[in-house]
Amino acid sequence: MTYVIGAACVDVKDKSCVQECPVDCIYEGARTMYINPDECVDCGACMSICRLDAIYWEGDLPDDELQHLEDNAAFFSQVLPGRNCALGSPGGADNLGPVGVDTPFVAALPHSTVRKHP
Ligand code: SF4
Ligand code: SF4
């Protein structure tokens, strides 16, 4: 099982959750953050810190966020635009640095005109 970052993070990406993760498995795309499901140890620390309630345990995902379960995983398992191999399990977001691109699913999401910071 894993935790999943959903739609509320898109175009916010303030990275408050990153410092909470004991295994540094929350990675930075262009518009959102992604949790590596193979590295997440299911501790829940990130979920409690997110002011936008963007993070879910996969078993609690509402129907309209289910696509993000597959999509967080796809960020690591698929070859992203501009890369020649999948990220896989890099073993730490700090070492990898910002990836600079998103999955095709997130890249295609509409841009909100409403500022989402509380
Ligand atoms: S704390 Fe929430 S909104 Fe902020 S980067 Fe993490 S998931 Fe996104
Ligand atoms: S549940 Fe724990 S291990 Fe998984 S992403 Fe959140 S803080 Fe990291």
Side-chain angles (χ1 to χ4, degrees):
M1 303 298 273
T2 183
Y3 280 69
V4 175
I5 294 183
C9 184
V10 177
D11 297 332
V12 176
K13 213 183 70 170
D14 68 346
K15 298 193 261 183
S16 306
C17 51
V18 170
Q19 302 91 293
E20 301 302 311
C21 181
V23 293
D24 197 23
C25 72
I26 305 176
Y27 292 79
E28 183 176 358
R31 295 181 64 192
T32 193
M33 308 297 287
Y34 301 84
I35 292 175
N36 187 317
D38 295 327
E39 295 177 345
C40 174
V41 295
D42 257 358
C43 72
C46 55
M47 190 175 77
S48 1
I49 201 80
C50 180
R51 291 170 297 162
L52 296 178
D53 296 329
I55 305 179
Y56 301 86
W57 179 62
E58 70 168 279
D60 292 334
L61 274 165
D63 288 350
D64 60 355
E65 296 277 6
L66 279 173
Q67 180 84 42
H68 288 274
L69 171 60
E70 190 180 315
D71 194 63
N72 274 226
F75 187 72
F76 304 94
S77 65
Q78 294 184 359
V79 179
L80 296 169
R83 293 192 163 251
N84 53 21
C85 61
L87 291 176
S89 288
D94 192 39
N95 279 342
L96 184 69
V99 175
V101 293
D102 287 300
T103 59
F105 170 70
V106 167
L109 289 175
H111 288 264
S112 169
T113 53
V114 180
R115 191 170 167 82
K116 291 196 277 183
H117 275 291

